[in-house]
Every structure is written in C-alpha cells, then in structure tokens.
Amino acid sequence: MKTLVLVFHPSLKGQSHVNAALAEAAEGLENVTVRDEYALYPDGKIDVKAEQAAVEAADRVVFQFPLYWFSSPALLKTWEDDVLEHGWAYGAEGHAFEGKEFGVAVSTGSPESKYQPEGDNKFKIEQVLVPFQGTANHINATWLKPFVTFGSFGISDEALAEAVKNYKDYLTK
C-alpha cells in the first residue's frame, strides 16, 4: 500500500517538536511519501495538478497537522478548497478518492483529559475531527481512525518516542 502524508505545519523545521519527529519517522518508511506543504507552497499558491497527481499515486492519504483552534492550519483549508475539485474528488465524475483510505494525524497542545465532555474543551477529539470524516464521506474515501498525539506542549522524550513508534504502525498497517 502506498501512503501519502501531507504535512501542514507552518514552521515544521523551526517550531515543531512533535510534527517534525512524526514527519521524519514517516519519511523513513517504505512506500510512504511525505510532502511538507508549507515548504512547497510558502506563498500559499498550491499546484493543484501536482497535488492531484500525488493523491492519484497513493492508496492512502493522511493529513498531518497541529490542531489550531479546533481546526487545521490555513494552508490545509486552502488545499481542500483548491485540490478537491468537483469532477475530480466528488460529483458524478469525481472518483479520485474511491477505494482509497483517508485519515488525519493531529497533535494537540492540551492533554487528552481536556478533550472529554467534562474537560475544558467539552468535546472528544473525534467530535472535533468530524469535518474531516465528513470530507472522507463526501469524496467516497474510507475513513481511518484518527492518529492523535495529545499534550505536545511539554511532551516527554519517552512519550514522543512512543508516538513515533505508533505513528509508523499507523502508516504501515
């Protein structure tokens, strides 16, 4: 299975501890292609045809990003708006994702306890990520259980190493 990991972190090499480690681990896997979208498109202008070709070459597509205000970084939304064209990704003639798996790998600054009905955020992480599941449904992809790294602010080296190990398993299962 060929997996495409699209990383959306505005400062992957500079400010990211968790996403940088996960992306680096993914790059070392066989049959996994990693694209650092902010490095590819620092001006925010996405090469739609290149992105569509990358998706078409994959069996599984994973959006990797830090959770920002219960959503994604801006470039990911732009990517969705530009790349997921009617007639390509959805609609009567849009079949690009049919038969493909689609998932997200997110990191949160807060610990998992905050993503509970009784926690500060009031929602489980699966509820926060429903728009991505809706996208998977709309483009006829098979939704994968999200991969989540909680508590990236202050994550221990041991916990990060465990997350990296688990991410490799997630991408190659």
Side-chain angles (χ1 to χ4, degrees), residues 1-165:
M1 175 169 293
K2 295 178 185 171
T3 300
L4 174 64
V5 178
L6 302 174
V7 181
F8 294 91
H9 193 295
S11 186
L12 187 64
K13 304 294 188 221
Q15 296 176 342
S16 175
H17 185 58
V18 170
N19 277 278
L22 295 177
E24 183 179 328
E27 286 173 345
L29 296 172
E30 189 174 329
N31 292 320
V32 175
T33 300
V34 177
R35 293 173 64 89
D36 178 350
E37 297 295 308
Y38 274 91
L40 288 169
Y41 309 113
D43 60 359
K45 293 181 183 3
I46 293 173
D47 181 340
V48 172
K49 295 304 178 198
E51 294 301 309
Q52 289 176 343
V55 167
E56 289 169 354
D59 303 304
R60 175 188 296 142
V61 178
V62 176
F63 289 168
Q64 180 188 317
F65 60 95
L67 199 63
Y68 281 5
W69 288 106
F70 306 96
S71 188
S72 63
L75 190 61
L76 196 157
K77 179 63 172 119
T78 300
W79 191 99
E80 290 173 308
D81 291 345
D82 293 353
V83 176
L84 300 180
E85 294 177 319
H86 182 269
W88 181 79
Y90 67 98
E93 302 299 319
H95 305 288
F97 279 84
E98 285 182 9
K100 295 184 189 297
E101 295 179 348
F102 176 71
V104 296
V106 300
S107 60
T108 69
S110 301
E112 187 173 6
S113 61
K114 302 278 186 177
Y115 290 91
Q116 304 298 323
E118 64 280 356
D120 290 351
N121 297 328
K122 306 295 184 210
F123 296 100
K124 293 179 123 334
I125 193 68
E126 293 82 7
Q127 292 172 288
V128 173
L129 298 173
V130 161
F132 294 98
Q133 186 175 7
T135 297
N137 295 341
H138 191 62
I139 61 176
N140 293 311
T142 301
W143 177 245
L144 299 173
K145 181 180 177 185
F147 181 86
V148 183
T149 305
F150 290 102
S152 63
F153 298 147
I155 192 170
S156 70
D157 290 343
E158 296 79 20
L160 182 56
E162 183 70 16
V164 164
K165 177 189 163 300

